[in-house]
Amino acid sequence: MVVRSFQLSDYGKITDLLELVLDETCLEETMTAFARQLNWDSGLILVASEDEEVLGVMIGTIHRNKGYYYRVAVHPDHQRRGIARSLMEGMKQRFLHRNIQHVAVPVDDYNEQLLPVYEKLGCGEENFNRSYGKLSILAGC
């Protein structure tokens, strides 16, 4: 498995993956954010692939000197193989390369379910801050 930058040829495969993993509302929000991030900085869209198959995707963004793990999705047939961890580590390196020291995860219904995954990947529950709407600051990520 390789974690790499998004390529235009990935678009259809990523869309198929997101349609498989996300519910309709989350899919609509994610596709809007995906398009916006492609326009702003496609370097913060990472793809986990193997033999030309897209196994997972992570969409990140930067706003006001904070990095955001906006969305991570892994194909159900390939979960529990460390793909989310690899995507998160790749995004963390991208953030560090851009001098981003603080990372956050927007907590919506989808990401709420993934908080244990983020915790397992090094984000501590004690770092969650819900004072800004549904945003959790994960300083230790």
Side-chain angles (χ1 to χ4, degrees):
M1 182 207 47
V2 174
V3 173
R4 59 174 173 74
S5 296
F6 168 84
Q7 299 169 1
L8 190 55
S9 61
D10 296 323
Y11 187 84
K13 294 174 186 176
I14 289 172
T15 300
D16 291 344
L17 172 64
L18 294 174
E19 287 174 351
L20 178 65
V21 174
L22 305 176
D23 67 35
E24 189 175 323
T25 302
C26 187
L27 176 63
E28 185 176 319
E29 293 170 2
T30 301
M31 291 307 293
T32 299
F34 181 40
R36 186 173 41 242
Q37 193 59 39
L38 282 174
N39 188 46
W40 288 342
D41 184 354
S42 65
L44 292 178
I45 300 171
L46 297 181
V47 175
S49 66
E50 189 172 75
D51 299 326
E52 298 185 33
E53 180 182 2
V54 171
L55 309 178
V57 62
M58 180 171 239
I59 302 168
T61 193
I62 296 172
H63 182 68
R64 295 186 182 172
N65 293 325
K66 288 184 184 166
Y68 293 87
Y69 298 131
Y70 175 73
R71 188 72 73 224
V72 62
V74 176
H75 192 285
D77 293 344
H78 299 285
Q79 292 176 358
R80 304 202 185 289
R81 290 183 43 198
I83 294 169
R85 175 184 299 278
S86 295
L87 287 164
M88 190 170 160
E89 282 300 317
M91 190 63 68
K92 185 176 183 178
Q93 291 304 312
R94 301 269 170 124
F95 289 150
L96 289 173
H97 181 73
R98 295 168 187 221
N99 297 316
I100 300 299
Q101 302 300 316
H102 300 288
V103 178
V105 175
V107 180
D108 55 16
D109 289 340
Y110 178 78
N111 281 343
E112 183 82 41
Q113 300 170 43
L114 296 178
L115 291 181
V117 174
Y118 283 110
E119 289 172 347
K120 184 179 177 184
L121 298 176
C123 303
E125 178 67 33
E126 68 278 2
N127 298 102
F128 294 136
N129 177 346
R130 297 179 189 275
S131 63
Y132 183 72
K134 293 197 93 182
L135 185 70
S136 292
I137 304 300
L138 308 173
C141 293

